[in-house]
Amino acid sequence: ARCADAIASATGTFCERRLAFFSGKKNTVSYAFVGVDLESKPEVYRFKARVELQGSKFVEIQESVRVLPKQFPVQKITVAEKYAQPSPEDQKRSAEETKRLESIWETVSDSPYWDGKFKVPLSSELTSGFGRRRVVNGQPRSPHSGVDLKAPTGTQIHAANSGKVVLAEDLFFSG
């Protein structure tokens, strides 16, 4: 939202999920980042916001956001059978990890952890891009939700920006 008056606060939702708004220049701009799951159906979604202005005024905003279809490339990979058909213990581990990750993804911060422009963490060959559909040992799996960059073990990787580490551990499927 951009207003001539100073913004006291802003609240809003996208797809019924709470958004965190951040103040911009001279408190006349508020912004929020909205993530759209790559498995979202292509359709129209609702964005709602209430912007409180200095002097007890407010602005209500309701917008339609159309999510368009996207075709992601398919990657066929072969892995050790223990990763394609996990044991009951590994299935339990994976389910626990998924639950922890879902909790992290649901967390909304009321202030940004980054500052300024983002940079590439290392100069490297892209080995797997975001959204790539995976077929593992002939079985369709979840799409790739990250970006893989190739580098030898021990290569320094720079932070893309300032931030907060919320998980650093070896995950069964994600590594």
Side-chain angles (χ1 to χ4, degrees):
R2 182 179 297 273
C3 301
D5 296 325
I7 296 172
S9 67
T11 58
T13 60
F14 180 72
C15 295
E16 307 303 321
R17 294 181 67 187
R18 183 177 81 85
L19 299 175
F21 283 82
F22 308 111
S23 295
K25 297 177 182 175
K26 299 179 186 176
N27 281 349
T28 60
V29 177
S30 280
Y31 59 93
F33 286 99
V34 177
V36 177
D37 190 296
L38 59 92
E39 298 280 31
S40 295
K41 289 175 28 181
E43 63 183 41
V44 175
Y45 294 90
R46 301 294 301 162
F47 166 81
K48 298 177 186 176
R50 178 183 171 98
V51 180
E52 306 263 346
L53 305 172
Q54 298 293 341
S56 301
K57 296 188 285 183
F58 68 91
V59 176
E60 295 272 350
I61 301 168
Q62 291 194 34
E63 293 289 335
S64 297
V65 178
R66 180 176 300 281
V67 173
L68 300 174
K70 168 73 174 157
Q71 292 286 18
F72 292 97
V74 174
Q75 179 183 32
K76 295 180 180 182
I77 62 174
T78 302
V79 298
E81 198 58 31
K82 73 176 189 172
Y83 295 109
Q85 297 295 326
S87 69
E89 296 83 23
D90 287 336
Q91 288 177 17
K92 181 180 178 195
R93 173 186 169 188
S94 175
E96 290 168 355
E97 290 171 356
T98 297
K99 191 174 182 177
R100 279 200 321 274
L101 288 169
E102 286 172 351
S103 175
I104 290 169
W105 300 133
E106 292 295 321
T107 303
V108 176
S109 170
D110 289 326
S111 59
Y113 286 110
W114 71 93
D115 183 33
K117 294 182 179 182
F118 286 79
K119 60 185 177 185
V120 179
L122 80 144
S123 178
S124 170
E125 171 189 342
L126 178 70
T127 59
S128 184
F130 176 81
R132 187 173 298 228
R133 304 299 173 166
R134 292 242 168 116
V135 178
V136 179
N137 295 3
Q139 299 294 317
R141 293 291 192 254
S142 298
H144 191 227
S145 61
V147 174
D148 294 340
L149 301 170
K150 184 177 184 176
T153 300
T155 299
Q156 277 196 341
I157 300 171
H158 303 280
N161 205 313
S162 57
K164 177 181 178 182
V165 175
V166 294
L167 180 69
E169 64 183 66
D170 181 32
L171 302 176
F172 183 76
F173 281 113
S174 303

